[in-house]
Amino acid sequence: MYKMVSKTCMQLPILDISQPLQPSSLSSLAEACKELGFFHITNHGISKDLYNKIRSLSEFLFSLPDEMKIKLGPFSSIKTYTPHYIASPFFESLRVSGPDFIGSAQSSADVLFDNHNPEFSEILREYGTTMTELSKKIVKIVLMTLGDAVERKYYDSEFKNCHGYLRIINYSAPESLEEEVEGLGTHTDMSCVTIVYQDEMGGLQVRSNQGHVIDISPCEGTLVVNVGDLLQAWSNEKLRSSEHRVVLRKPVNRFSLAFFWCFEDEKVILAPDEVVGEGNSRTYKPFVCADYLRFRESDEKGKFEKVGFTVRDFAGIRLQM
Ligand SMILES: O=C(O)CCC(=O)C(=O)O
Ligand SMILES: [Fe+2]
């Protein structure tokens, strides 16, 4: 696995997602998507109040005994819960899948709560539908960074069947704080784009092209967006899916919401000629989305999105020197 060695700080572009795109924003965004694959969005429509509600209801859920939570997975039929020690000793998460966010949240809540709890599923419906709309907007804008015609020509034909799921993540507080610990190991995301609501703790880090570790510090009112493996492959690496991780530095728990926007399972991912560009070679073989997801989930090295078995290892074409 790659060792994160040196640290640098960097200001990411902040995109106002409520406004029509300005040419000046497009150029800084194009640069960010190409170099790092990370940027911030603001005026995204998720209030602090909505986040706090999800946080307090989820914290109650995560505080339940392990024998209750384990009824939600990973070895039960429902498989929405990832317990500690799969990704890291500090990490546990609950998955809520779209497009029926209400049904998905309710099916987890029904197992855990005796009495029907409509509030939990209702706020997750609100979060999920807002994220769905944001993801569509973000994909359109990211495609525009590849040229205006790319978005017009390919959004409807290639991206209209995308779907999303939310991972509610609870990082428990580390006890000893002699040095920082890894809450989530270095990985790339198996998405087209990911939208993360991180709390004020910080700790999200990304590795740049040059191998520098960059802190994605929390920035009031903004969400973090990153490009995932599916879009990296579809764009013939014109868009970058960067390795990132989460470190814990303080003896308090960290809470984040990560929303993954993905191609449909049966989609064949192949960069269009226009995106590859004349004179360039294609760097990925065509592949079926679900086959890649299975590759990541079934292979020991690919477990929980560990680096070493990513989309490049799966479908990358090694260019002859
Ligand atoms: O918790 C975070 O801030 C990021 C989580 C993440 O990278 C992931 O779930 O893929
Ligand atoms: Fe991630």
Side-chain angles (χ1 to χ4, degrees):
M1 194 207 289
Y2 189 83
K3 259 186 122 176
M4 296 219 173
V5 276
S6 55
K7 259 194 186 177
T8 52
C9 271
M10 199 178 94
Q11 204 64 45
L12 296 181
I14 302 176
L15 172 73
D16 183 344
I17 195 84
S18 68
Q19 297 297 316
L21 191 67
Q22 302 300 320
S24 60
S25 319
L26 190 62
S27 60
S28 60
L29 205 65
E31 170 97 8
C33 291
K34 193 170 130 223
E35 293 299 320
L36 203 62
F38 272 71
F39 59 92
H40 281 119
I41 54 168
T42 187
N43 293 325
H44 42 69
I46 300 288
S47 67
K48 195 76 200 271
D49 187 50
L50 178 64
Y51 168 82
N52 286 338
K53 274 193 196 143
I54 297 179
R55 182 167 187 156
S56 65
L57 286 169
S58 307
E59 277 179 342
F60 170 72
L61 194 148
F62 287 122
S63 74
L64 293 169
D66 287 345
E67 54 273 25
M68 290 282 286
K69 292 186 284 188
I70 215 80
K71 289 184 189 163
L72 299 179
F75 305 112
S76 69
S77 58
I78 181 161
K79 291 187 175 55
T80 50
Y81 178 66
T82 301
H84 291 114
Y85 291 97
I86 288 191
S88 97
F90 304 98
F91 178 105
E92 60 179 334
S93 77
L94 183 78
R95 179 179 163 133
V96 183
S97 303
D100 180 16
F101 293 98
I102 210 161
S104 176
Q106 198 55 54
S107 64
S108 293
D110 283 347
V111 174
L112 297 181
F113 306 125
D114 288 341
N115 43 1
H116 189 63
N117 187 333
E119 198 190 357
F120 182 69
S121 39
E122 175 48 34
I123 53 166
L124 288 165
R125 183 202 58 76
E126 191 180 341
Y127 196 85
T129 44
T130 306
M131 285 293 141
T132 298
E133 290 317 306
L134 285 175
S135 301
K136 290 178 184 168
K137 271 192 186 176
I138 290 167
V139 168
K140 284 184 182 170
I141 292 172
V142 169
L143 293 184
M144 282 180 204
T145 69
L146 300 175
D148 200 26
V150 172
E151 188 271 324
R152 270 188 282 117
K153 225 166 145 179
Y154 296 108
Y155 182 80
D156 283 344
S157 57
E158 298 275 317
F159 293 88
K160 69 169 185 312
N161 295 326
C162 280
H163 66 100
Y165 67 92
L166 173 68
R167 203 183 267 159
I168 305 172
I169 310 171
N170 183 42
Y171 297 91
S172 40
E175 276 165 27
S176 150
L177 275 155
E178 306 282 288
E179 52 185 327
E180 61 188 27
V181 294
E182 233 173 36
L184 179 59
T186 308
H187 67 280
T188 59
D189 289 349
M190 295 184 282
S191 57
C192 286
V193 293
T194 306
I195 309 175
V196 177
Y197 196 130
Q198 66 166 336
D199 65 13
E200 58 291 340
M201 290 277 301
L204 183 59
Q205 296 185 322
V206 58
R207 184 169 83 82
S208 76
N209 256 335
Q210 295 78 33
H212 293 133
V213 175
I214 295 164
D215 280 312
I216 308 288
S217 304
C219 177
E220 183 74 31
T222 71
L223 303 177
V224 179
V225 175
N226 66 280
V227 171
D229 292 346
L230 302 179
L231 209 46
Q232 172 171 290
W234 186 88
S235 69
N236 211 44
E237 302 217 345
K238 293 220 160 91
L239 303 166
R240 189 177 150 86
S241 171
S242 286
E243 295 173 10
H244 55 283
R245 68 170 183 176
V246 173
V247 293
L248 308 172
R249 302 182 176 117
K250 293 183 192 145
V252 276
N253 82 309
R254 180 181 188 274
F255 183 81
S256 65
L257 299 171
F259 186 83
F260 303 90
W261 189 245
C262 308
F263 282 129
E264 64 276 23
D265 280 357
E266 58 281 9
K267 162 104 186 150
V268 176
I269 297 160
L270 174 67
D273 288 340
E274 203 166 326
V275 173
V276 175
E278 227 173 283
N280 297 332
S281 3
R282 205 169 247 112
T283 49
Y284 289 85
K285 294 175 273 197
F287 64 95
V288 176
C289 184
D291 290 343
Y292 174 51
L293 307 188
R294 260 196 299 275
F295 166 82
R296 287 282 293 260
E297 274 152 19
S298 62
D299 193 281
E300 204 40 49
K301 287 191 192 153
K303 271 242 170 78
F304 218 86
E305 310 181 9
K306 286 280 192 310
V307 165
F309 263 60
T310 69
V311 71
R312 240 189 223 170
D313 305 286
F314 181 66
I317 297 171
R318 270 176 231 288
L319 297 176
Q320 301 294 321
M321 298 299 277

